[in-house]
Amino acid sequence: MKKTYNYHSYLLSMLCLLLLGGCGDGDGVIFSIQDDLKLGQQVAHEVDSTYRAEGKLLERGSGDPDVQQAYQSIDRIVGRILTSGQVKYQEEFPWTVKIISDDETLNAFATPGGHIYVYTGLIKYLENEDHFAGVLAHEIAHADKRHSVKQLQRNYGISLLLSIALGNDPGALQQIAAQLTGTLTGLKFSRDAEAEADRASVAYLAGTNYYACDGAAGFFLKLEQDAQRGGAPPEFLSTHPASDNRIQNIQEMAEQESCKTNASPDTDFLQLKKALNI
């Protein structure tokens, strides 16, 4: 069965590319959603293995009550976003969230197929649950809008990605996982992809009827203020290029949506910080 899928999937992808100008979501993605899921599972397994070997992956089943509390808190935050009614692949993708214990790295990233990783450095850096929800919504958008697989498709080509999704190229899999975690050059999104993720973050947060829909703007404003004080640019900005008017654009989108912009309670975020002792 695996060999049949391999042949048919590859053949379909080549026919889409050569004859139809691309299948998938109609926006340049030849991968099917099932291919997204398979690639995401392979990449997530590699990322998990890497951070587990370094002792940095906080395991959900570890039995540590603080870690369990941390995941309960972050799951409630993510759950509000996913049930906003705005996430296209809410049901199709697993949307697993994993915490990486690294207080020095201010970053988060998403793999194809909805595997989300958050560094404790980002949690430690932020003080506001709306801003944290804005970053999570932005990363969810990268997976939901299939930006990760689009960029990987441009970088590596469809046939290699299909081979990786099927578990046939562990060397390339390690390289892709390293790109997503930023240990190489990082998976850098285009400014168009960043703008789309920003727009989606506003829609996702607006749909929660809980978070300030311009939460992502607060995060970028904090980064900007720290940069003006001479702080080093975080890993997040090296892989998420920003336009000069990004904050203004998010705020204008929130105004157009006429959505909630007042702060929500920080209850879950404070519990998350307390559980992680940061």
Side-chain angles (χ1 to χ4, degrees), residues 79 82 84 106 148 156 171 188 225 230 241 255 259 269 272 274:
L82 293 177
S84 65
L106 200 169
S148 298
Y156 293 94
K188 295 182 180 179
Q225 292 171 340
E255 185 175 349
C259 48
F269 192 54
L272 174 61
K274 181 178 180 182

Side-chain angles (χ1 to χ4, degrees), residues 197-250:
D198 286 344
R199 288 194 297 273
S201 78
V202 173
Y204 294 168
L205 296 186
T208 68
N209 293 316
Y210 186 85
Y211 291 118
C213 62
D214 60 351
F219 167 65
F220 290 115
L221 180 60
K222 181 171 172 58
L223 291 180
E224 183 180 273
Q225 292 171 340
D226 287 350
Q228 291 172 352
R229 289 193 288 265
E235 183 78 22
F236 190 91
L237 286 184
S238 70
T239 54
H240 295 70
S243 62
D244 294 337
N245 56 350
R246 184 173 203 166
I247 297 168
Q248 180 182 346
N249 287 343
I250 294 172

Side-chain angles (χ1 to χ4, degrees), residues 10-49:
Y10 179 82
L11 180 60
L12 175 61
S13 297
M14 292 303 101
L15 286 172
C16 288
L17 178 62
L18 296 174
L19 302 178
L20 305 177
C23 297
D25 66 358
D27 193 21
V29 181
I30 299 170
F31 256 31
S32 69
I33 293 300
Q34 287 302 313
D35 289 326
D36 260 32
L37 289 167
K38 286 181 177 292
L39 179 62
Q41 287 168 355
Q42 291 286 347
V43 173
H45 177 74
E46 180 67 24
V47 173
D48 288 357
S49 297

